[in-house]
Amino acid sequence: MWLSKKQAGRKKERRGGVIPSLPTMPKQKYYVVWKGHKPGIYTSWAECEKQVKGFGAAQYKAFESLKEAETAYRSAYEAFKGKPASHGKWREASIKPLLPSICVDAACSGSPGKLEYRGVFTESNAEIFRVGPFPDGTNNVGEFLAIVHALTWLAKHQRSSPVDEKQMPIYSDSENGISWVYTGECRTKLKHTARNAPLFVLIRSAENWLAENALLDDAVLKWDTALWGENPADFGRK
């Protein structure tokens, strides 16, 4: 029932409290069906379900916007399998990340826990390296090592942008990892044990490399998750 401002005021006074807010409508989602009875993009789960129910090895996923769904539908399902719905959002953003570039990320189950990290080319999502798993690590340690691994990979392969001959930038969504790289020190509070000794060997090696190699101010950049969605190197385990 609609109430005028005057009526709403009297109602508030009688009840002595704030008028309850109206229930919000559920957010529209868009469902991509790559493999199903009839592949396409659907605007309701009911329609999507009709296309995948009873279809062996169906491939489908929900997205928050039509643009994201259209981009995903034009791509391979494997690029989105196990990834957050916002994966690939950067392709439709008004301001895009620099290309070509590398994205790095780490995944750790527990703190400390089983740790691994990897790097991918931003545009193609092709994996460049994957390291681990290591026992008794932390996510921040993995983010730090991933960035340095990408830096050493670039130095070894002499990869540069064909546009301005500058070094290909590296993106990370970890403020701690980026900060530690530019200070040249992995400031972890992780306890050194026999189980995670290999990690500390990598940490010391990374710190030594940073001490011997100067970094450009824009060598490592912050991935804008709010604008671009999940980092392309994300392991999809959140």
Side-chain angles (χ1 to χ4, degrees):
M1 179 180 67
W2 180 86
L3 297 176
S4 67
K5 290 184 179 179
K6 189 173 181 180
Q7 289 173 319
R10 287 201 298 267
K11 194 167 186 178
K12 180 178 179 180
E13 290 173 359
R14 287 198 301 271
R15 294 185 177 182
V18 178
I19 301 172
S21 59
L22 294 173
T24 57
M25 295 294 290
K27 192 173 182 179
Q28 173 69 57
K29 288 190 175 183
Y30 299 86
Y31 300 84
V32 173
V33 176
W34 286 274
K35 284 188 178 181
H37 298 295
K38 187 177 180 182
I41 299 174
Y42 298 88
T43 57
S44 72
W45 166 244
E47 287 300 314
C48 175
E49 187 179 29
K50 290 179 183 177
Q51 310 310 320
V52 301
K53 191 173 183 179
F55 188 96
Q59 297 178 350
Y60 59 97
K61 192 174 185 68
F63 294 87
E64 295 180 358
S65 73
L66 180 57
K67 280 190 174 181
E68 288 176 306
E70 289 174 339
T71 299
Y73 188 53
R74 292 193 297 266
S75 306
Y77 168 69
E78 286 69 22
F80 297 87
K81 182 180 179 181
K83 299 288 184 180
S86 61
H87 181 74
K89 181 179 177 181
W90 65 268
R91 298 179 187 276
E92 303 298 332
S94 55
I95 301 175
K96 295 179 174 59
L98 297 176
L99 298 173
S101 56
I102 292 174
C103 282
V104 298
D105 198 29
C108 190
S109 54
S111 186
K114 185 170 68 174
L115 168 68
E116 57 186 318
Y117 60 86
R118 72 180 191 135
V120 305
F121 288 118
T122 303
E123 191 165 18
S124 67
N125 207 49
E127 190 171 83
I128 306 167
F129 60 83
R130 179 188 288 245
V131 183
F134 299 98
D136 295 348
T138 66
N139 196 71
N140 281 333
V141 167
E143 300 281 5
F144 170 79
L145 291 175
I147 295 171
V148 179
H149 193 128
L151 287 167
T152 59
W153 187 91
L154 282 173
K156 181 179 180 180
H157 293 82
Q158 298 181 330
R159 295 301 295 257
S160 62
S161 168
V163 177
D164 54 14
E165 297 304 319
K166 289 179 64 178
Q167 179 176 286
M168 193 183 298
I170 297 165
Y171 282 100
S172 168
D173 57 16
S174 171
E175 292 183 359
N176 283 337
I178 296 173
S179 173
W180 292 357
V181 165
Y182 275 105
T183 58
E185 181 184 0
C186 182
R187 298 179 177 178
T188 180
K189 296 181 180 179
L190 179 65
K191 185 178 179 181
H192 189 160
T193 67
R195 280 171 54 82
N196 63 20
L199 270 179
F200 280 86
V201 171
L202 289 178
I203 289 172
R204 298 298 168 252
S205 176
E207 289 176 335
N208 290 338
W209 189 91
L210 291 170
E212 297 170 0
N213 294 269
L215 297 183
L216 298 173
D217 290 341
D218 57 355
V220 185
L221 304 174
K222 177 70 169 61
W223 180 264
D224 191 337
T225 304
L227 179 62
W228 299 329
E230 290 295 341
N231 180 331
D234 184 81
F235 281 80
R237 299 173 186 171
K238 293 182 177 67

